[in-house]
Amino acid sequence: AEAGCYWDAYYGDYIWYFEAQADDPNGVYDVVDLWADVYDNASGQWIDSFELYPTNDPYTWFSDWLGSSTYVSCNYYNYVVEFVAYDSYDEYGILDVAPLYY
């Protein structure tokens, strides 16, 4: 999984992106939902959540968001992003990553 933030001159705003490769012992199509939850790494406080969407590659889920539409700041460098994938049996897997800043 990867998360990050970069400046986009076209939008005149920062863009947060979230991408994950997801699979399941029952097959890749058993993954039905994937979220990226952003936490303050210092306090553990939840900041915001972002739904990821399947792409043409059945393993890859992705979404991106204008920074102005979120509670997450590209000028704060102490976040952790917790990716949570759910399957059709309500089982889940979790992976934490530090976001990249460009």
Side-chain angles (χ1 to χ4, degrees), residues 28-76:
V28 67
Y29 295 105
D30 191 39
V31 178
V32 295
D33 215 8
L34 209 150
W35 288 82
D37 300 316
V38 180
Y39 293 89
D40 184 317
N41 201 33
S43 69
Q45 178 182 2
W46 171 84
I47 306 298
D48 210 341
S49 292
F50 303 91
E51 185 173 8
L52 280 71
Y53 303 98
T55 65
N56 291 335
D57 175 348
Y59 293 94
T60 303
W61 295 64
F62 180 84
S63 68
D64 57 357
W65 304 80
L66 291 173
S68 60
S69 71
T70 77
Y71 295 109
V72 185
S73 171
C74 282
N75 297 316
Y76 183 71

mmCIF file of all heavy atoms in Angstrom, residues 28-76:
data_model
loop_
_atom_site.group_PDB
_atom_site.id
_atom_site.type_symbol
_atom_site.label_atom_id
_atom_site.label_comp_id
_atom_site.label_asym_id
_atom_site.label_seq_id
_atom_site.Cartn_x
_atom_site.Cartn_y
_atom_site.Cartn_z
ATOM 1 N N VAL A 28 -9.093 -12.863 -5.318
ATOM 2 C CA VAL A 28 -9.045 -11.409 -5.350
ATOM 3 C C VAL A 28 -10.437 -10.780 -5.393
ATOM 4 O O VAL A 28 -10.663 -9.698 -4.860
ATOM 5 C CB VAL A 28 -8.171 -10.921 -6.525
ATOM 6 C CG1 VAL A 28 -8.805 -11.259 -7.855
ATOM 7 C CG2 VAL A 28 -7.896 -9.444 -6.420
ATOM 8 N N TYR A 29 -11.395 -11.457 -5.994
ATOM 9 C CA TYR A 29 -12.743 -10.884 -6.111
ATOM 10 C C TYR A 29 -13.548 -10.995 -4.820
ATOM 11 O O TYR A 29 -14.658 -10.495 -4.744
ATOM 12 C CB TYR A 29 -13.484 -11.519 -7.284
ATOM 13 C CG TYR A 29 -12.824 -11.189 -8.601
ATOM 14 C CD1 TYR A 29 -12.066 -12.137 -9.267
ATOM 15 C CD2 TYR A 29 -12.933 -9.914 -9.140
ATOM 16 C CE1 TYR A 29 -11.445 -11.821 -10.471
ATOM 17 C CE2 TYR A 29 -12.320 -9.589 -10.332
ATOM 18 C CZ TYR A 29 -11.572 -10.549 -10.990
ATOM 19 O OH TYR A 29 -10.949 -10.222 -12.178
ATOM 20 N N ASP A 30 -12.981 -11.634 -3.793
ATOM 21 C CA ASP A 30 -13.646 -11.697 -2.496
ATOM 22 C C ASP A 30 -13.437 -10.402 -1.696
ATOM 23 O O ASP A 30 -14.150 -10.143 -0.746
ATOM 24 C CB ASP A 30 -13.145 -12.899 -1.691
ATOM 25 C CG ASP A 30 -13.981 -13.169 -0.460
ATOM 26 O OD1 ASP A 30 -15.219 -13.027 -0.550
ATOM 27 O OD2 ASP A 30 -13.411 -13.503 0.584
ATOM 28 N N VAL A 31 -12.463 -9.587 -2.082
ATOM 29 C CA VAL A 31 -12.259 -8.283 -1.439
ATOM 30 C C VAL A 31 -13.380 -7.368 -1.918
ATOM 31 O O VAL A 31 -13.550 -7.161 -3.114
ATOM 32 C CB VAL A 31 -10.880 -7.694 -1.786
ATOM 33 C CG1 VAL A 31 -10.710 -6.326 -1.142
ATOM 34 C CG2 VAL A 31 -9.768 -8.641 -1.363
ATOM 35 N N VAL A 32 -14.151 -6.836 -0.972
ATOM 36 C CA VAL A 32 -15.329 -6.050 -1.351
ATOM 37 C C VAL A 32 -15.261 -4.586 -0.932
ATOM 38 O O VAL A 32 -16.061 -3.777 -1.389
ATOM 39 C CB VAL A 32 -16.625 -6.689 -0.785
ATOM 40 C CG1 VAL A 32 -16.852 -8.052 -1.413
ATOM 41 C CG2 VAL A 32 -16.583 -6.780 0.723
ATOM 42 N N ASP A 33 -14.324 -4.219 -0.060
ATOM 43 C CA ASP A 33 -14.261 -2.853 0.442
ATOM 44 C C ASP A 33 -12.852 -2.580 0.934
ATOM 45 O O ASP A 33 -12.225 -3.448 1.538
ATOM 46 C CB ASP A 33 -15.257 -2.682 1.593
ATOM 47 C CG ASP A 33 -15.896 -1.320 1.652
ATOM 48 O OD1 ASP A 33 -15.699 -0.523 0.723
ATOM 49 O OD2 ASP A 33 -16.600 -1.055 2.638
ATOM 50 N N LEU A 34 -12.369 -1.359 0.686
ATOM 51 C CA LEU A 34 -11.039 -0.986 1.162
ATOM 52 C C LEU A 34 -11.047 0.475 1.564
ATOM 53 O O LEU A 34 -11.549 1.319 0.815
ATOM 54 C CB LEU A 34 -10.003 -1.241 0.067
ATOM 55 C CG LEU A 34 -8.602 -1.570 0.574
ATOM 56 C CD1 LEU A 34 -7.899 -2.484 -0.403
ATOM 57 C CD2 LEU A 34 -7.800 -0.350 0.845
ATOM 58 N N TRP A 35 -10.517 0.750 2.744
ATOM 59 C CA TRP A 35 -10.496 2.106 3.294
ATOM 60 C C TRP A 35 -9.095 2.473 3.728
ATOM 61 O O TRP A 35 -8.315 1.621 4.134
ATOM 62 C CB TRP A 35 -11.434 2.204 4.510
ATOM 63 C CG TRP A 35 -12.868 2.169 4.116
ATOM 64 C CD1 TRP A 35 -13.617 1.064 3.834
ATOM 65 C CD2 TRP A 35 -13.718 3.287 3.934
ATOM 66 N NE1 TRP A 35 -14.891 1.428 3.494
ATOM 67 C CE2 TRP A 35 -14.984 2.793 3.550
ATOM 68 C CE3 TRP A 35 -13.552 4.653 4.058
ATOM 69 C CZ2 TRP A 35 -16.057 3.633 3.292
ATOM 70 C CZ3 TRP A 35 -14.632 5.483 3.803
ATOM 71 C CH2 TRP A 35 -15.869 4.973 3.421
ATOM 72 N N ALA A 36 -8.791 3.768 3.679
ATOM 73 C CA ALA A 36 -7.562 4.320 4.237
ATOM 74 C C ALA A 36 -7.966 5.260 5.363
ATOM 75 O O ALA A 36 -8.653 6.257 5.137
ATOM 76 C CB ALA A 36 -6.776 5.068 3.172
ATOM 77 N N ASP A 37 -7.589 4.910 6.577
ATOM 78 C CA ASP A 37 -7.880 5.734 7.749
ATOM 79 C C ASP A 37 -6.598 6.443 8.163
ATOM 80 O O ASP A 37 -5.565 5.802 8.359
ATOM 81 C CB ASP A 37 -8.390 4.875 8.902
ATOM 82 C CG ASP A 37 -9.666 4.133 8.549
ATOM 83 O OD1 ASP A 37 -10.551 4.746 7.946
ATOM 84 O OD2 ASP A 37 -9.761 2.937 8.871
ATOM 85 N N VAL A 38 -6.662 7.766 8.294
ATOM 86 C CA VAL A 38 -5.489 8.558 8.635
ATOM 87 C C VAL A 38 -5.544 8.921 10.112
ATOM 88 O O VAL A 38 -6.562 9.436 10.599
ATOM 89 C CB VAL A 38 -5.405 9.832 7.771
ATOM 90 C CG1 VAL A 38 -4.184 10.660 8.140
ATOM 91 C CG2 VAL A 38 -5.391 9.471 6.291
ATOM 92 N N TYR A 39 -4.431 8.646 10.800
ATOM 93 C CA TYR A 39 -4.303 8.938 12.222
ATOM 94 C C TYR A 39 -3.108 9.844 12.463
ATOM 95 O O TYR A 39 -2.119 9.788 11.728
ATOM 96 C CB TYR A 39 -4.092 7.643 13.022
ATOM 97 C CG TYR A 39 -5.278 6.727 13.027
ATOM 98 C CD1 TYR A 39 -5.452 5.771 12.040
ATOM 99 C CD2 TYR A 39 -6.242 6.822 14.023
ATOM 100 C CE1 TYR A 39 -6.550 4.929 12.041
ATOM 101 C CE2 TYR A 39 -7.346 5.982 14.031
ATOM 102 C CZ TYR A 39 -7.487 5.038 13.034
ATOM 103 O OH TYR A 39 -8.576 4.209 13.034
ATOM 104 N N ASP A 40 -3.201 10.656 13.507
ATOM 105 C CA ASP A 40 -2.052 11.416 13.981
ATOM 106 C C ASP A 40 -1.145 10.422 14.699
ATOM 107 O O ASP A 40 -1.552 9.815 15.690
ATOM 108 C CB ASP A 40 -2.508 12.527 14.928
ATOM 109 C CG ASP A 40 -1.375 13.407 15.386
ATOM 110 O OD1 ASP A 40 -0.290 12.878 15.719
ATOM 111 O OD2 ASP A 40 -1.569 14.630 15.435
ATOM 112 N N ASN A 41 0.059 10.246 14.212
ATOM 113 C CA ASN A 41 0.961 9.252 14.773
ATOM 114 C C ASN A 41 1.407 9.606 16.191
ATOM 115 O O ASN A 41 1.746 8.723 16.971
ATOM 116 C CB ASN A 41 2.183 9.074 13.870
ATOM 117 C CG ASN A 41 2.880 7.767 14.081
ATOM 118 O OD1 ASN A 41 2.252 6.762 14.381
ATOM 119 N ND2 ASN A 41 4.181 7.776 13.925
ATOM 120 N N ALA A 42 1.393 10.887 16.542
ATOM 121 C CA ALA A 42 1.821 11.312 17.875
ATOM 122 C C ALA A 42 0.748 11.050 18.930
ATOM 123 O O ALA A 42 1.034 10.528 20.006
ATOM 124 C CB ALA A 42 2.188 12.792 17.861
ATOM 125 N N SER A 43 -0.505 11.377 18.605
ATOM 126 C CA SER A 43 -1.588 11.262 19.589
ATOM 127 C C SER A 43 -2.427 10.003 19.409
ATOM 128 O O SER A 43 -3.168 9.624 20.309
ATOM 129 C CB SER A 43 -2.505 12.481 19.509
ATOM 130 O OG SER A 43 -3.227 12.472 18.286
ATOM 131 N N GLY A 44 -2.367 9.392 18.227
ATOM 132 C CA GLY A 44 -3.230 8.256 17.924
ATOM 133 C C GLY A 44 -4.634 8.665 17.523
ATOM 134 O O GLY A 44 -5.477 7.815 17.250
ATOM 135 N N GLN A 45 -4.903 9.962 17.440
ATOM 136 C CA GLN A 45 -6.236 10.470 17.114
ATOM 137 C C GLN A 45 -6.563 10.230 15.638
ATOM 138 O O GLN A 45 -5.750 10.488 14.758
ATOM 139 C CB GLN A 45 -6.319 11.961 17.415
ATOM 140 C CG GLN A 45 -7.645 12.588 17.070
ATOM 141 C CD GLN A 45 -7.659 14.094 17.346
ATOM 142 O OE1 GLN A 45 -6.674 14.681 17.753
ATOM 143 N NE2 GLN A 45 -8.798 14.711 17.107
ATOM 144 N N TRP A 46 -7.784 9.747 15.376
ATOM 145 C CA TRP A 46 -8.272 9.590 14.014
ATOM 146 C C TRP A 46 -8.466 10.968 13.403
ATOM 147 O O TRP A 46 -8.992 11.873 14.047
ATOM 148 C CB TRP A 46 -9.594 8.816 14.033
ATOM 149 C CG TRP A 46 -10.289 8.795 12.713
ATOM 150 C CD1 TRP A 46 -10.067 7.936 11.686
ATOM 151 C CD2 TRP A 46 -11.322 9.684 12.272
ATOM 152 N NE1 TRP A 46 -10.896 8.228 10.630
ATOM 153 C CE2 TRP A 46 -11.672 9.294 10.966
ATOM 154 C CE3 TRP A 46 -11.969 10.764 12.847
ATOM 155 C CZ2 TRP A 46 -12.650 9.959 10.238
ATOM 156 C CZ3 TRP A 46 -12.945 11.420 12.114
ATOM 157 C CH2 TRP A 46 -13.273 11.015 10.824
ATOM 158 N N ILE A 47 -8.047 11.129 12.132
ATOM 159 C CA ILE A 47 -8.181 12.416 11.442
ATOM 160 C C ILE A 47 -9.242 12.361 10.348
ATOM 161 O O ILE A 47 -10.124 13.198 10.275
ATOM 162 C CB ILE A 47 -6.836 12.860 10.837
ATOM 163 C CG1 ILE A 47 -5.733 12.886 11.899
ATOM 164 C CG2 ILE A 47 -6.966 14.214 10.150
ATOM 165 C CD1 ILE A 47 -5.950 13.860 13.038
ATOM 166 N N ASP A 48 -9.166 11.354 9.458
ATOM 167 C CA ASP A 48 -10.094 11.279 8.329
ATOM 168 C C ASP A 48 -10.038 9.879 7.726
ATOM 169 O O ASP A 48 -9.068 9.151 7.937
ATOM 170 C CB ASP A 48 -9.710 12.309 7.265
ATOM 171 C CG ASP A 48 -10.901 12.830 6.467
ATOM 172 O OD1 ASP A 48 -11.956 12.158 6.465
ATOM 173 O OD2 ASP A 48 -10.766 13.900 5.843
ATOM 174 N N SER A 49 -11.066 9.500 6.982
ATOM 175 C CA SER A 49 -11.126 8.204 6.296
ATOM 176 C C SER A 49 -11.428 8.422 4.827
ATOM 177 O O SER A 49 -12.173 9.339 4.470
ATOM 178 C CB SER A 49 -12.221 7.317 6.892
ATOM 179 O OG SER A 49 -11.888 6.923 8.192
ATOM 180 N N PHE A 50 -10.871 7.544 3.990
ATOM 181 C CA PHE A 50 -11.025 7.660 2.545
ATOM 182 C C PHE A 50 -11.337 6.292 1.967
ATOM 183 O O PHE A 50 -10.605 5.334 2.198
ATOM 184 C CB PHE A 50 -9.740 8.202 1.919
ATOM 185 C CG PHE A 50 -9.336 9.521 2.494
ATOM 186 C CD1 PHE A 50 -8.480 9.586 3.584
ATOM 187 C CD2 PHE A 50 -9.847 10.696 1.976
ATOM 188 C CE1 PHE A 50 -8.119 10.807 4.135
ATOM 189 C CE2 PHE A 50 -9.490 11.925 2.516
ATOM 190 C CZ PHE A 50 -8.623 11.979 3.606
ATOM 191 N N GLU A 51 -12.404 6.227 1.191
ATOM 192 C CA GLU A 51 -12.753 4.983 0.525
ATOM 193 C C GLU A 51 -11.897 4.833 -0.726
ATOM 194 O O GLU A 51 -11.703 5.792 -1.473
ATOM 195 C CB GLU A 51 -14.230 4.977 0.148
ATOM 196 C CG GLU A 51 -14.683 3.672 -0.446
ATOM 197 C CD GLU A 51 -16.191 3.616 -0.672
ATOM 198 O OE1 GLU A 51 -16.874 4.641 -0.504
ATOM 199 O OE2 GLU A 51 -16.675 2.519 -1.003
ATOM 200 N N LEU A 52 -11.378 3.629 -0.946
ATOM 201 C CA LEU A 52 -10.668 3.307 -2.174
ATOM 202 C C LEU A 52 -11.612 2.538 -3.077
ATOM 203 O O LEU A 52 -12.532 1.870 -2.604
ATOM 204 C CB LEU A 52 -9.423 2.474 -1.888
ATOM 205 C CG LEU A 52 -8.191 3.257 -1.408
ATOM 206 C CD1 LEU A 52 -8.374 3.777 -0.009
ATOM 207 C CD2 LEU A 52 -6.956 2.376 -1.484
ATOM 208 N N TYR A 53 -11.356 2.632 -4.381
ATOM 209 C CA TYR A 53 -12.235 2.018 -5.362
ATOM 210 C C TYR A 53 -11.439 1.052 -6.234
ATOM 211 O O TYR A 53 -10.263 1.289 -6.520
ATOM 212 C CB TYR A 53 -12.879 3.102 -6.234
ATOM 213 C CG TYR A 53 -13.627 4.103 -5.399
ATOM 214 C CD1 TYR A 53 -13.054 5.316 -5.047
ATOM 215 C CD2 TYR A 53 -14.905 3.807 -4.921
ATOM 216 C CE1 TYR A 53 -13.738 6.223 -4.258
ATOM 217 C CE2 TYR A 53 -15.594 4.713 -4.135
ATOM 218 C CZ TYR A 53 -15.001 5.919 -3.808
ATOM 219 O OH TYR A 53 -15.673 6.813 -3.013
ATOM 220 N N PRO A 54 -12.074 -0.038 -6.663
ATOM 221 C CA PRO A 54 -11.365 -0.977 -7.534
ATOM 222 C C PRO A 54 -11.010 -0.313 -8.868
ATOM 223 O O PRO A 54 -11.721 0.579 -9.337
ATOM 224 C CB PRO A 54 -12.348 -2.126 -7.734
ATOM 225 C CG PRO A 54 -13.640 -1.702 -7.149
ATOM 226 C CD PRO A 54 -13.445 -0.441 -6.385
ATOM 227 N N THR A 55 -9.906 -0.760 -9.447
ATOM 228 C CA THR A 55 -9.477 -0.271 -10.760
ATOM 229 C C THR A 55 -9.674 -1.390 -11.784
ATOM 230 O O THR A 55 -10.251 -2.429 -11.456
ATOM 231 C CB THR A 55 -7.995 0.144 -10.717
ATOM 232 O OG1 THR A 55 -7.197 -1.024 -10.473
ATOM 233 C CG2 THR A 55 -7.744 1.185 -9.623
ATOM 234 N N ASN A 56 -9.178 -1.201 -12.983
ATOM 235 C CA ASN A 56 -9.263 -2.255 -13.997
ATOM 236 C C ASN A 56 -8.428 -3.469 -13.638
ATOM 237 O O ASN A 56 -8.670 -4.557 -14.137
ATOM 238 C CB ASN A 56 -8.841 -1.717 -15.365
ATOM 239 C CG ASN A 56 -9.853 -0.736 -15.917
ATOM 240 O OD1 ASN A 56 -11.021 -0.777 -15.559
ATOM 241 N ND2 ASN A 56 -9.394 0.151 -16.781
ATOM 242 N N ASP A 57 -7.420 -3.273 -12.805
ATOM 243 C CA ASP A 57 -6.624 -4.384 -12.275
ATOM 244 C C ASP A 57 -7.332 -4.874 -11.011
ATOM 245 O O ASP A 57 -7.482 -4.116 -10.054
ATOM 246 C CB ASP A 57 -5.223 -3.895 -11.942
ATOM 247 C CG ASP A 57 -4.342 -4.941 -11.283
ATOM 248 O OD1 ASP A 57 -4.853 -6.002 -10.861
ATOM 249 O OD2 ASP A 57 -3.136 -4.686 -11.171
ATOM 250 N N PRO A 58 -7.798 -6.118 -10.956
ATOM 251 C CA PRO A 58 -8.599 -6.562 -9.808
ATOM 252 C C PRO A 58 -7.857 -6.533 -8.472
ATOM 253 O O PRO A 58 -8.486 -6.554 -7.424
ATOM 254 C CB PRO A 58 -9.008 -7.987 -10.173
ATOM 255 C CG PRO A 58 -8.034 -8.421 -11.197
ATOM 256 C CD PRO A 58 -7.601 -7.186 -11.927
ATOM 257 N N TYR A 59 -6.530 -6.441 -8.494
ATOM 258 C CA TYR A 59 -5.757 -6.369 -7.253
ATOM 259 C C TYR A 59 -5.602 -4.947 -6.738
ATOM 260 O O TYR A 59 -5.328 -4.734 -5.566
ATOM 261 C CB TYR A 59 -4.355 -6.962 -7.467
ATOM 262 C CG TYR A 59 -4.366 -8.437 -7.727
ATOM 263 C CD1 TYR A 59 -4.377 -8.931 -9.020
ATOM 264 C CD2 TYR A 59 -4.378 -9.349 -6.676
ATOM 265 C CE1 TYR A 59 -4.391 -10.296 -9.265
ATOM 266 C CE2 TYR A 59 -4.399 -10.707 -6.911
ATOM 267 C CZ TYR A 59 -4.409 -11.176 -8.202
ATOM 268 O OH TYR A 59 -4.431 -12.524 -8.446
ATOM 269 N N THR A 60 -5.742 -3.963 -7.615
ATOM 270 C CA THR A 60 -5.413 -2.580 -7.270
ATOM 271 C C THR A 60 -6.656 -1.765 -6.948
ATOM 272 O O THR A 60 -7.615 -1.740 -7.711
ATOM 273 C CB THR A 60 -4.655 -1.913 -8.432
ATOM 274 O OG1 THR A 60 -3.486 -2.690 -8.726
ATOM 275 C CG2 THR A 60 -4.231 -0.503 -8.080
ATOM 276 N N TRP A 61 -6.597 -1.091 -5.808
ATOM 277 C CA TRP A 61 -7.641 -0.162 -5.357
ATOM 278 C C TRP A 61 -6.994 1.209 -5.224
ATOM 279 O O TRP A 61 -5.847 1.333 -4.791
ATOM 280 C CB TRP A 61 -8.200 -0.615 -4.016
ATOM 281 C CG TRP A 61 -8.928 -1.917 -4.072
ATOM 282 C CD1 TRP A 61 -8.410 -3.143 -4.389
ATOM 283 C CD2 TRP A 61 -10.305 -2.133 -3.812
ATOM 284 N NE1 TRP A 61 -9.375 -4.099 -4.343
ATOM 285 C CE2 TRP A 61 -10.560 -3.514 -3.980
ATOM 286 C CE3 TRP A 61 -11.355 -1.305 -3.442
ATOM 287 C CZ2 TRP A 61 -11.809 -4.063 -3.789
ATOM 288 C CZ3 TRP A 61 -12.601 -1.851 -3.254
ATOM 289 C CH2 TRP A 61 -12.828 -3.220 -3.425
ATOM 290 N N PHE A 62 -7.757 2.279 -5.547
ATOM 291 C CA PHE A 62 -7.161 3.605 -5.592
ATOM 292 C C PHE A 62 -8.211 4.680 -5.335
ATOM 293 O O PHE A 62 -9.381 4.510 -5.671
ATOM 294 C CB PHE A 62 -6.541 3.848 -6.984
ATOM 295 C CG PHE A 62 -5.907 5.190 -7.136
ATOM 296 C CD1 PHE A 62 -4.614 5.409 -6.709
ATOM 297 C CD2 PHE A 62 -6.607 6.250 -7.710
ATOM 298 C CE1 PHE A 62 -4.019 6.659 -6.841
ATOM 299 C CE2 PHE A 62 -6.027 7.493 -7.849
ATOM 300 C CZ PHE A 62 -4.728 7.702 -7.416
ATOM 301 N N SER A 63 -7.777 5.786 -4.781
ATOM 302 C CA SER A 63 -8.570 7.017 -4.777
ATOM 303 C C SER A 63 -7.646 8.191 -4.523
ATOM 304 O O SER A 63 -6.562 8.041 -3.943
ATOM 305 C CB SER A 63 -9.705 6.984 -3.748
ATOM 306 O OG SER A 63 -9.222 7.005 -2.438
ATOM 307 N N ASP A 64 -8.060 9.358 -4.988
ATOM 308 C CA ASP A 64 -7.331 10.579 -4.677
ATOM 309 C C ASP A 64 -8.326 11.683 -4.347
ATOM 310 O O ASP A 64 -9.474 11.654 -4.785
ATOM 311 C CB ASP A 64 -6.358 10.975 -5.779
ATOM 312 C CG ASP A 64 -6.994 11.153 -7.140
ATOM 313 O OD1 ASP A 64 -8.212 10.922 -7.300
ATOM 314 O OD2 ASP A 64 -6.272 11.528 -8.075
ATOM 315 N N TRP A 65 -7.861 12.631 -3.547
ATOM 316 C CA TRP A 65 -8.745 13.642 -2.977
ATOM 317 C C TRP A 65 -8.048 14.991 -2.957
ATOM 318 O O TRP A 65 -6.859 15.074 -2.643
ATOM 319 C CB TRP A 65 -9.109 13.255 -1.537
ATOM 320 C CG TRP A 65 -9.717 11.902 -1.444
ATOM 321 C CD1 TRP A 65 -9.057 10.695 -1.450
ATOM 322 C CD2 TRP A 65 -11.100 11.588 -1.363
ATOM 323 N NE1 TRP A 65 -9.951 9.667 -1.365
ATOM 324 C CE2 TRP A 65 -11.215 10.181 -1.314
ATOM 325 C CE3 TRP A 65 -12.256 12.349 -1.322
ATOM 326 C CZ2 TRP A 65 -12.434 9.540 -1.229
ATOM 327 C CZ3 TRP A 65 -13.469 11.708 -1.234
ATOM 328 C CH2 TRP A 65 -13.555 10.319 -1.188
ATOM 329 N N LEU A 66 -8.787 16.041 -3.259
ATOM 330 C CA LEU A 66 -8.249 17.387 -3.094
ATOM 331 C C LEU A 66 -7.984 17.631 -1.615
ATOM 332 O O LEU A 66 -8.818 17.315 -0.762
ATOM 333 C CB LEU A 66 -9.231 18.429 -3.619
ATOM 334 C CG LEU A 66 -9.442 18.458 -5.127
ATOM 335 C CD1 LEU A 66 -10.571 19.411 -5.479
ATOM 336 C CD2 LEU A 66 -8.155 18.868 -5.829
ATOM 337 N N GLY A 67 -6.830 18.185 -1.316
ATOM 338 C CA GLY A 67 -6.486 18.464 0.074
ATOM 339 C C GLY A 67 -7.504 19.348 0.771
ATOM 340 O O GLY A 67 -7.795 19.167 1.949
ATOM 341 N N SER A 68 -8.082 20.298 0.037
ATOM 342 C CA SER A 68 -9.058 21.215 0.640
ATOM 343 C C SER A 68 -10.365 20.518 1.007
ATOM 344 O O SER A 68 -11.182 21.082 1.735
ATOM 345 C CB SER A 68 -9.338 22.384 -0.301
ATOM 346 O OG SER A 68 -9.849 21.911 -1.533
ATOM 347 N N SER A 69 -10.560 19.282 0.531
ATOM 348 C CA SER A 69 -11.788 18.551 0.855
ATOM 349 C C SER A 69 -11.591 17.595 2.034
ATOM 350 O O SER A 69 -12.494 16.828 2.354
ATOM 351 C CB SER A 69 -12.274 17.762 -0.364
ATOM 352 O OG SER A 69 -11.409 16.663 -0.620
ATOM 353 N N THR A 70 -10.411 17.650 2.672
ATOM 354 C CA THR A 70 -10.097 16.714 3.747
ATOM 355 C C THR A 70 -9.703 17.455 5.019
ATOM 356 O O THR A 70 -9.511 18.669 5.014
ATOM 357 C CB THR A 70 -8.929 15.786 3.351
ATOM 358 O OG1 THR A 70 -7.709 16.514 3.458
ATOM 359 C CG2 THR A 70 -9.092 15.234 1.963
ATOM 360 N N TYR A 71 -9.550 16.686 6.085
ATOM 361 C CA TYR A 71 -9.022 17.216 7.341
ATOM 362 C C TYR A 71 -7.526 16.936 7.473
ATOM 363 O O TYR A 71 -6.932 17.185 8.508
ATOM 364 C CB TYR A 71 -9.749 16.604 8.534
ATOM 365 C CG TYR A 71 -11.207 16.979 8.591
ATOM 366 C CD1 TYR A 71 -12.199 16.045 8.324
ATOM 367 C CD2 TYR A 71 -11.590 18.274 8.900
ATOM 368 C CE1 TYR A 71 -13.538 16.395 8.368
ATOM 369 C CE2 TYR A 71 -12.931 18.636 8.940
ATOM 370 C CZ TYR A 71 -13.890 17.686 8.681
ATOM 371 O OH TYR A 71 -15.211 18.022 8.710
ATOM 372 N N VAL A 72 -6.911 16.408 6.417
ATOM 373 C CA VAL A 72 -5.508 16.024 6.430
ATOM 374 C C VAL A 72 -4.694 17.134 5.786
ATOM 375 O O VAL A 72 -5.049 17.633 4.721
ATOM 376 C CB VAL A 72 -5.311 14.694 5.673
ATOM 377 C CG1 VAL A 72 -3.881 14.220 5.779
ATOM 378 C CG2 VAL A 72 -6.259 13.628 6.198
ATOM 379 N N SER A 73 -3.597 17.536 6.400
ATOM 380 C CA SER A 73 -2.758 18.622 5.901
ATOM 381 C C SER A 73 -1.458 18.069 5.322
ATOM 382 O O SER A 73 -0.799 17.232 5.944
ATOM 383 C CB SER A 73 -2.432 19.595 7.038
ATOM 384 O OG SER A 73 -1.457 20.522 6.619
ATOM 385 N N CYS A 74 -1.075 18.581 4.162
ATOM 386 C CA CYS A 74 0.205 18.186 3.571
ATOM 387 C C CYS A 74 1.384 18.857 4.261
ATOM 388 O O CYS A 74 2.527 18.566 3.948
ATOM 389 C CB CYS A 74 0.228 18.532 2.088
ATOM 390 S SG CYS A 74 -0.699 17.356 1.088
ATOM 391 N N ASN A 75 1.106 19.745 5.167
ATOM 392 C CA ASN A 75 2.166 20.429 5.911
ATOM 393 C C ASN A 75 2.414 19.810 7.274
ATOM 394 O O ASN A 75 3.153 20.361 8.075
ATOM 395 C CB ASN A 75 1.823 21.913 6.057
ATOM 396 C CG ASN A 75 1.746 22.591 4.707
ATOM 397 O OD1 ASN A 75 2.601 22.381 3.850
ATOM 398 N ND2 ASN A 75 0.718 23.386 4.490
ATOM 399 N N TYR A 76 1.785 18.687 7.554
ATOM 400 C CA TYR A 76 1.985 17.973 8.818
ATOM 401 C C TYR A 76 2.562 16.603 8.468
ATOM 402 O O TYR A 76 2.018 15.897 7.622
ATOM 403 C CB TYR A 76 0.660 17.828 9.569
ATOM 404 C CG TYR A 76 0.792 17.167 10.915
ATOM 405 C CD1 TYR A 76 1.389 17.831 11.972
ATOM 406 C CD2 TYR A 76 0.331 15.875 11.121
ATOM 407 C CE1 TYR A 76 1.520 17.229 13.220
ATOM 408 C CE2 TYR A 76 0.449 15.260 12.359
ATOM 409 C CZ TYR A 76 1.050 15.939 13.401
ATOM 410 O OH TYR A 76 1.177 15.343 14.622
#
